[in-house]
Amino acid sequence: MARGTVRGHRVVGAGLLLLLASAGCGSPAGDSGDGGATAAPPVRDKGPVCVGEAPADGVRVLRGGGFRLPGGTGVQYAGASADGSSRTATLREGPRYEEGQREWKVAVGARVPLAGHAYTVRQVCSYRVVLEAASARDASALAEAPASMTSTGEKADAGLCFTTNRAVLKAAADGFPAEGESLSLVGNGGVRRFPTGLSLTVSYLDAEARTAGIAANCAAVPVAAYEELRVGDPLELGGVLFEVTDVTEAVVRLTRPAAPRP
């Protein structure tokens, strides 16, 4: 089922992948994530869009999705809240949802224990949370080069999907349109695949309300699930920042900003 809209009615798409960053896979090329709170909030979100500063080697955990971490654990960005001056996130233990997982409501500076590994929250945004490994060993493991830069699908792509390695992040960024150009995702239930293992699908379209959902999967992990996206909203895919620039009955159009937000 393609979740399109027929005269304003939502139709949910059959090809929907469960998750969407980091990510994704790590830090976006050209997106330093530096700067404190940014002012312009997404629609129906009191903002700010981001609070805190994202280190270049930080772990990007995308909204609605999970990230696999060294040691066999992981973390999910399960929920967000903002009051106009501050922003918090709900993190859940594990790379994908399972019953009984621990959750934490966190702000910038919080320390999160994950299966004997510690991470500090450095940035909380409407579309991602950025963590920094407390130990040099975990930071090194996250930056380790994969055995191959070629995606083979499913769990074998973990080294391409869950990494802060600069070469992998560049390869992921190069697989998207250039800065200032657009990526169109068709709302017909189809899957759009990218060179480093990321798969995207439009989970629904509502042309009357001009809202959409985008789901992302990488290495058999739901890495993002963006819901109620509107024109102007930021989101991150495969380590690259985009902005929603159009929602129609057939297509969600995302533009890669020439000057990315933090």
PDB file of all heavy atoms in Angstrom, residues 68-98:
ATOM      1  N   ARG A  68      23.384   0.775  16.581  1.00  0.00           N
ATOM      2  CA  ARG A  68      24.093  -0.334  17.224  1.00  0.00           C
ATOM      3  C   ARG A  68      25.449   0.157  17.719  1.00  0.00           C
ATOM      4  O   ARG A  68      26.206   0.777  16.965  1.00  0.00           O
ATOM      5  CB  ARG A  68      24.276  -1.482  16.233  1.00  0.00           C
ATOM      6  CG  ARG A  68      24.711  -2.787  16.894  1.00  0.00           C
ATOM      7  CD  ARG A  68      24.834  -3.913  15.873  1.00  0.00           C
ATOM      8  NE  ARG A  68      23.575  -4.205  15.204  1.00  0.00           N
ATOM      9  CZ  ARG A  68      22.605  -4.933  15.717  1.00  0.00           C
ATOM     10  NH1 ARG A  68      22.731  -5.448  16.935  1.00  0.00           N
ATOM     11  NH2 ARG A  68      21.492  -5.153  15.039  1.00  0.00           N
ATOM     12  N   LEU A  69      25.769  -0.120  18.980  1.00  0.00           N
ATOM     13  CA  LEU A  69      26.989   0.373  19.613  1.00  0.00           C
ATOM     14  C   LEU A  69      27.971  -0.760  19.886  1.00  0.00           C
ATOM     15  O   LEU A  69      27.591  -1.940  19.894  1.00  0.00           O
ATOM     16  CB  LEU A  69      26.637   1.058  20.936  1.00  0.00           C
ATOM     17  CG  LEU A  69      25.807   2.343  20.817  1.00  0.00           C
ATOM     18  CD1 LEU A  69      25.230   2.727  22.177  1.00  0.00           C
ATOM     19  CD2 LEU A  69      26.649   3.477  20.256  1.00  0.00           C
ATOM     20  N   PRO A  70      29.247  -0.433  20.104  1.00  0.00           N
ATOM     21  CA  PRO A  70      30.234  -1.469  20.454  1.00  0.00           C
ATOM     22  C   PRO A  70      29.805  -2.246  21.689  1.00  0.00           C
ATOM     23  O   PRO A  70      29.169  -1.708  22.601  1.00  0.00           O
ATOM     24  CB  PRO A  70      31.506  -0.657  20.729  1.00  0.00           C
ATOM     25  CG  PRO A  70      31.335   0.602  19.956  1.00  0.00           C
ATOM     26  CD  PRO A  70      29.871   0.906  19.998  1.00  0.00           C
ATOM     27  N   GLY A  71      30.149  -3.527  21.710  1.00  0.00           N
ATOM     28  CA  GLY A  71      29.809  -4.362  22.856  1.00  0.00           C
ATOM     29  C   GLY A  71      28.482  -5.065  22.724  1.00  0.00           C
ATOM     30  O   GLY A  71      28.004  -5.678  23.677  1.00  0.00           O
ATOM     31  N   GLY A  72      27.838  -4.950  21.559  1.00  0.00           N
ATOM     32  CA  GLY A  72      26.591  -5.667  21.324  1.00  0.00           C
ATOM     33  C   GLY A  72      25.348  -4.972  21.821  1.00  0.00           C
ATOM     34  O   GLY A  72      24.256  -5.531  21.772  1.00  0.00           O
ATOM     35  N   THR A  73      25.488  -3.757  22.316  1.00  0.00           N
ATOM     36  CA  THR A  73      24.320  -3.023  22.779  1.00  0.00           C
ATOM     37  C   THR A  73      23.901  -2.009  21.723  1.00  0.00           C
ATOM     38  O   THR A  73      24.378  -2.014  20.592  1.00  0.00           O
ATOM     39  CB  THR A  73      24.606  -2.335  24.134  1.00  0.00           C
ATOM     40  OG1 THR A  73      23.395  -1.754  24.627  1.00  0.00           O
ATOM     41  CG2 THR A  73      25.667  -1.253  23.987  1.00  0.00           C
ATOM     42  N   GLY A  74      23.014  -1.107  22.100  1.00  0.00           N
ATOM     43  CA  GLY A  74      22.563  -0.073  21.190  1.00  0.00           C
ATOM     44  C   GLY A  74      21.702   0.921  21.927  1.00  0.00           C
ATOM     45  O   GLY A  74      21.456   0.795  23.132  1.00  0.00           O
ATOM     46  N   VAL A  75      21.221   1.926  21.186  1.00  0.00           N
ATOM     47  CA  VAL A  75      20.397   2.958  21.793  1.00  0.00           C
ATOM     48  C   VAL A  75      19.411   3.465  20.757  1.00  0.00           C
ATOM     49  O   VAL A  75      19.700   3.495  19.564  1.00  0.00           O
ATOM     50  CB  VAL A  75      21.289   4.104  22.339  1.00  0.00           C
ATOM     51  CG1 VAL A  75      22.063   4.792  21.228  1.00  0.00           C
ATOM     52  CG2 VAL A  75      20.473   5.106  23.143  1.00  0.00           C
ATOM     53  N   GLN A  76      18.228   3.862  21.224  1.00  0.00           N
ATOM     54  CA  GLN A  76      17.181   4.394  20.352  1.00  0.00           C
ATOM     55  C   GLN A  76      16.767   5.789  20.826  1.00  0.00           C
ATOM     56  O   GLN A  76      16.786   6.075  22.020  1.00  0.00           O
ATOM     57  CB  GLN A  76      15.952   3.485  20.395  1.00  0.00           C
ATOM     58  CG  GLN A  76      16.191   2.059  19.969  1.00  0.00           C
ATOM     59  CD  GLN A  76      15.125   1.138  20.534  1.00  0.00           C
ATOM     60  OE1 GLN A  76      13.947   1.283  20.228  1.00  0.00           O
ATOM     61  NE2 GLN A  76      15.522   0.197  21.379  1.00  0.00           N
ATOM     62  N   TYR A  77      16.371   6.614  19.871  1.00  0.00           N
ATOM     63  CA  TYR A  77      15.794   7.926  20.162  1.00  0.00           C
ATOM     64  C   TYR A  77      14.287   7.742  20.102  1.00  0.00           C
ATOM     65  O   TYR A  77      13.673   7.805  19.055  1.00  0.00           O
ATOM     66  CB  TYR A  77      16.282   8.936  19.132  1.00  0.00           C
ATOM     67  CG  TYR A  77      15.835  10.376  19.343  1.00  0.00           C
ATOM     68  CD1 TYR A  77      15.029  10.767  20.405  1.00  0.00           C
ATOM     69  CD2 TYR A  77      16.244  11.361  18.454  1.00  0.00           C
ATOM     70  CE1 TYR A  77      14.634  12.078  20.577  1.00  0.00           C
ATOM     71  CE2 TYR A  77      15.855  12.678  18.610  1.00  0.00           C
ATOM     72  CZ  TYR A  77      15.051  13.040  19.666  1.00  0.00           C
ATOM     73  OH  TYR A  77      14.657  14.347  19.821  1.00  0.00           O
ATOM     74  N   ALA A  78      13.683   7.513  21.262  1.00  0.00           N
ATOM     75  CA  ALA A  78      12.293   7.072  21.323  1.00  0.00           C
ATOM     76  C   ALA A  78      11.275   8.196  21.436  1.00  0.00           C
ATOM     77  O   ALA A  78      10.106   8.005  21.101  1.00  0.00           O
ATOM     78  CB  ALA A  78      12.115   6.116  22.503  1.00  0.00           C
ATOM     79  N   GLY A  79      11.680   9.374  21.917  1.00  0.00           N
ATOM     80  CA  GLY A  79      10.711  10.452  22.089  1.00  0.00           C
ATOM     81  C   GLY A  79      11.403  11.766  22.340  1.00  0.00           C
ATOM     82  O   GLY A  79      12.564  11.810  22.758  1.00  0.00           O
ATOM     83  N   ALA A  80      10.681  12.875  22.082  1.00  0.00           N
ATOM     84  CA  ALA A  80      11.267  14.201  22.232  1.00  0.00           C
ATOM     85  C   ALA A  80      10.266  15.163  22.834  1.00  0.00           C
ATOM     86  O   ALA A  80       9.051  14.998  22.677  1.00  0.00           O
ATOM     87  CB  ALA A  80      11.725  14.727  20.869  1.00  0.00           C
ATOM     88  N   SER A  81      10.776  16.182  23.526  1.00  0.00           N
ATOM     89  CA  SER A  81       9.912  17.238  24.038  1.00  0.00           C
ATOM     90  C   SER A  81      10.705  18.534  24.087  1.00  0.00           C
ATOM     91  O   SER A  81      11.931  18.535  24.235  1.00  0.00           O
ATOM     92  CB  SER A  81       9.377  16.888  25.437  1.00  0.00           C
ATOM     93  OG  SER A  81      10.439  16.748  26.354  1.00  0.00           O
ATOM     94  N   ALA A  82       9.986  19.656  23.924  1.00  0.00           N
ATOM     95  CA  ALA A  82      10.612  20.971  23.970  1.00  0.00           C
ATOM     96  C   ALA A  82       9.603  21.962  24.526  1.00  0.00           C
ATOM     97  O   ALA A  82       8.395  21.825  24.302  1.00  0.00           O
ATOM     98  CB  ALA A  82      11.072  21.395  22.579  1.00  0.00           C
ATOM     99  N   ASP A  83      10.099  22.964  25.252  1.00  0.00           N
ATOM    100  CA  ASP A  83       9.202  23.926  25.884  1.00  0.00           C
ATOM    101  C   ASP A  83       9.427  25.353  25.400  1.00  0.00           C
ATOM    102  O   ASP A  83       8.947  26.308  26.004  1.00  0.00           O
ATOM    103  CB  ASP A  83       9.332  23.864  27.408  1.00  0.00           C
ATOM    104  CG  ASP A  83      10.740  24.207  27.889  1.00  0.00           C
ATOM    105  OD1 ASP A  83      11.566  24.682  27.063  1.00  0.00           O
ATOM    106  OD2 ASP A  83      11.017  24.015  29.086  1.00  0.00           O
ATOM    107  N   GLY A  84      10.170  25.514  24.310  1.00  0.00           N
ATOM    108  CA  GLY A  84      10.456  26.840  23.787  1.00  0.00           C
ATOM    109  C   GLY A  84      11.817  27.363  24.175  1.00  0.00           C
ATOM    110  O   GLY A  84      12.354  28.256  23.517  1.00  0.00           O
ATOM    111  N   SER A  85      12.415  26.808  25.225  1.00  0.00           N
ATOM    112  CA  SER A  85      13.752  27.249  25.633  1.00  0.00           C
ATOM    113  C   SER A  85      14.706  26.094  25.879  1.00  0.00           C
ATOM    114  O   SER A  85      15.915  26.276  25.885  1.00  0.00           O
ATOM    115  CB  SER A  85      13.663  28.110  26.896  1.00  0.00           C
ATOM    116  OG  SER A  85      13.110  27.367  27.963  1.00  0.00           O
ATOM    117  N   SER A  86      14.175  24.904  26.092  1.00  0.00           N
ATOM    118  CA  SER A  86      15.018  23.734  26.331  1.00  0.00           C
ATOM    119  C   SER A  86      14.441  22.542  25.582  1.00  0.00           C
ATOM    120  O   SER A  86      13.310  22.578  25.098  1.00  0.00           O
ATOM    121  CB  SER A  86      15.103  23.422  27.831  1.00  0.00           C
ATOM    122  OG  SER A  86      13.822  23.097  28.339  1.00  0.00           O
ATOM    123  N   ARG A  87      15.236  21.496  25.498  1.00  0.00           N
ATOM    124  CA  ARG A  87      14.797  20.301  24.770  1.00  0.00           C
ATOM    125  C   ARG A  87      15.328  19.066  25.494  1.00  0.00           C
ATOM    126  O   ARG A  87      16.469  19.048  25.959  1.00  0.00           O
ATOM    127  CB  ARG A  87      15.316  20.333  23.331  1.00  0.00           C
ATOM    128  CG  ARG A  87      14.941  19.100  22.517  1.00  0.00           C
ATOM    129  CD  ARG A  87      15.273  19.268  21.045  1.00  0.00           C
ATOM    130  NE  ARG A  87      14.350  20.157  20.371  1.00  0.00           N
ATOM    131  CZ  ARG A  87      13.136  19.810  19.960  1.00  0.00           C
ATOM    132  NH1 ARG A  87      12.681  18.582  20.191  1.00  0.00           N
ATOM    133  NH2 ARG A  87      12.365  20.673  19.346  1.00  0.00           N
ATOM    134  N   THR A  88      14.481  18.042  25.583  1.00  0.00           N
ATOM    135  CA  THR A  88      14.888  16.769  26.156  1.00  0.00           C
ATOM    136  C   THR A  88      14.531  15.647  25.196  1.00  0.00           C
ATOM    137  O   THR A  88      13.732  15.828  24.276  1.00  0.00           O
ATOM    138  CB  THR A  88      14.207  16.507  27.520  1.00  0.00           C
ATOM    139  OG1 THR A  88      12.790  16.477  27.332  1.00  0.00           O
ATOM    140  CG2 THR A  88      14.571  17.582  28.529  1.00  0.00           C
ATOM    141  N   ALA A  89      15.130  14.492  25.425  1.00  0.00           N
ATOM    142  CA  ALA A  89      14.857  13.318  24.591  1.00  0.00           C
ATOM    143  C   ALA A  89      14.673  12.106  25.480  1.00  0.00           C
ATOM    144  O   ALA A  89      15.238  12.025  26.581  1.00  0.00           O
ATOM    145  CB  ALA A  89      16.011  13.068  23.627  1.00  0.00           C
ATOM    146  N   THR A  90      13.886  11.166  25.012  1.00  0.00           N
ATOM    147  CA  THR A  90      13.769   9.869  25.678  1.00  0.00           C
ATOM    148  C   THR A  90      14.609   8.874  24.905  1.00  0.00           C
ATOM    149  O   THR A  90      14.384   8.645  23.708  1.00  0.00           O
ATOM    150  CB  THR A  90      12.311   9.388  25.721  1.00  0.00           C
ATOM    151  OG1 THR A  90      11.527  10.330  26.450  1.00  0.00           O
ATOM    152  CG2 THR A  90      12.221   8.029  26.392  1.00  0.00           C
ATOM    153  N   LEU A  91      15.596   8.299  25.570  1.00  0.00           N
ATOM    154  CA  LEU A  91      16.449   7.271  24.978  1.00  0.00           C
ATOM    155  C   LEU A  91      16.034   5.914  25.518  1.00  0.00           C
ATOM    156  O   LEU A  91      15.648   5.786  26.681  1.00  0.00           O
ATOM    157  CB  LEU A  91      17.923   7.531  25.296  1.00  0.00           C
ATOM    158  CG  LEU A  91      18.504   8.860  24.819  1.00  0.00           C
ATOM    159  CD1 LEU A  91      19.994   8.931  25.155  1.00  0.00           C
ATOM    160  CD2 LEU A  91      18.284   9.060  23.332  1.00  0.00           C
ATOM    161  N   ARG A  92      16.138   4.918  24.664  1.00  0.00           N
ATOM    162  CA  ARG A  92      15.786   3.551  25.045  1.00  0.00           C
ATOM    163  C   ARG A  92      16.968   2.638  24.750  1.00  0.00           C
ATOM    164  O   ARG A  92      17.625   2.764  23.718  1.00  0.00           O
ATOM    165  CB  ARG A  92      14.554   3.096  24.265  1.00  0.00           C
ATOM    166  CG  ARG A  92      14.068   1.698  24.630  1.00  0.00           C
ATOM    167  CD  ARG A  92      12.943   1.258  23.693  1.00  0.00           C
ATOM    168  NE  ARG A  92      11.749   2.086  23.842  1.00  0.00           N
ATOM    169  CZ  ARG A  92      11.079   2.603  22.824  1.00  0.00           C
ATOM    170  NH1 ARG A  92      11.470   2.392  21.582  1.00  0.00           N
ATOM    171  NH2 ARG A  92       9.998   3.330  23.044  1.00  0.00           N
ATOM    172  N   GLU A  93      17.223   1.712  25.650  1.00  0.00           N
ATOM    173  CA  GLU A  93      18.358   0.804  25.471  1.00  0.00           C
ATOM    174  C   GLU A  93      18.057  -0.231  24.383  1.00  0.00           C
ATOM    175  O   GLU A  93      16.944  -0.744  24.282  1.00  0.00           O
ATOM    176  CB  GLU A  93      18.678   0.087  26.781  1.00  0.00           C
ATOM    177  CG  GLU A  93      19.953  -0.748  26.722  1.00  0.00           C
ATOM    178  CD  GLU A  93      20.367  -1.252  28.088  1.00  0.00           C
ATOM    179  OE1 GLU A  93      19.503  -1.386  28.968  1.00  0.00           O
ATOM    180  OE2 GLU A  93      21.563  -1.497  28.270  1.00  0.00           O
ATOM    181  N   GLY A  94      19.076  -0.527  23.561  1.00  0.00           N
ATOM    182  CA  GLY A  94      18.937  -1.524  22.508  1.00  0.00           C
ATOM    183  C   GLY A  94      18.804  -0.880  21.147  1.00  0.00           C
ATOM    184  O   GLY A  94      18.257   0.216  21.012  1.00  0.00           O
ATOM    185  N   PRO A  95      19.288  -1.534  20.082  1.00  0.00           N
ATOM    186  CA  PRO A  95      19.223  -0.942  18.746  1.00  0.00           C
ATOM    187  C   PRO A  95      17.831  -0.961  18.121  1.00  0.00           C
ATOM    188  O   PRO A  95      17.550  -0.203  17.208  1.00  0.00           O
ATOM    189  CB  PRO A  95      20.192  -1.807  17.940  1.00  0.00           C
ATOM    190  CG  PRO A  95      20.195  -3.128  18.636  1.00  0.00           C
ATOM    191  CD  PRO A  95      20.033  -2.809  20.099  1.00  0.00           C
ATOM    192  N   ARG A  96      16.964  -1.868  18.594  1.00  0.00           N
ATOM    193  CA  ARG A  96      15.593  -1.946  18.101  1.00  0.00           C
ATOM    194  C   ARG A  96      14.658  -2.215  19.267  1.00  0.00           C
ATOM    195  O   ARG A  96      15.083  -2.697  20.318  1.00  0.00           O
ATOM    196  CB  ARG A  96      15.448  -3.032  17.030  1.00  0.00           C
ATOM    197  CG  ARG A  96      15.891  -4.405  17.510  1.00  0.00           C
ATOM    198  CD  ARG A  96      15.482  -5.516  16.547  1.00  0.00           C
ATOM    199  NE  ARG A  96      16.087  -5.372  15.243  1.00  0.00           N
ATOM    200  CZ  ARG A  96      15.419  -5.155  14.115  1.00  0.00           C
ATOM    201  NH1 ARG A  96      14.113  -5.058  14.146  1.00  0.00           N
ATOM    202  NH2 ARG A  96      16.043  -5.052  12.972  1.00  0.00           N
ATOM    203  N   TYR A  97      13.389  -1.933  19.080  1.00  0.00           N
ATOM    204  CA  TYR A  97      12.450  -2.049  20.191  1.00  0.00           C
ATOM    205  C   TYR A  97      12.217  -3.494  20.618  1.00  0.00           C
ATOM    206  O   TYR A  97      12.007  -4.390  19.790  1.00  0.00           O
ATOM    207  CB  TYR A  97      11.094  -1.435  19.816  1.00  0.00           C
ATOM    208  CG  TYR A  97      10.069  -1.624  20.903  1.00  0.00           C
ATOM    209  CD1 TYR A  97      10.120  -0.862  22.066  1.00  0.00           C
ATOM    210  CD2 TYR A  97       9.084  -2.605  20.787  1.00  0.00           C
ATOM    211  CE1 TYR A  97       9.199  -1.060  23.081  1.00  0.00           C
ATOM    212  CE2 TYR A  97       8.154  -2.798  21.803  1.00  0.00           C
ATOM    213  CZ  TYR A  97       8.229  -2.028  22.946  1.00  0.00           C
ATOM    214  OH  TYR A  97       7.317  -2.232  23.954  1.00  0.00           O
ATOM    215  N   GLU A  98      12.254  -3.708  21.936  1.00  0.00           N
ATOM    216  CA  GLU A  98      11.850  -4.964  22.565  1.00  0.00           C
ATOM    217  C   GLU A  98      11.194  -4.613  23.891  1.00  0.00           C
ATOM    218  O   GLU A  98      11.491  -3.585  24.501  1.00  0.00           O
ATOM    219  CB  GLU A  98      13.071  -5.873  22.807  1.00  0.00           C
ATOM    220  CG  GLU A  98      13.777  -6.333  21.537  1.00  0.00           C
ATOM    221  CD  GLU A  98      15.009  -7.178  21.851  1.00  0.00           C
ATOM    222  OE1 GLU A  98      15.151  -7.607  23.018  1.00  0.00           O
ATOM    223  OE2 GLU A  98      15.828  -7.383  20.939  1.00  0.00           O
TER     224      GLU A  98
END
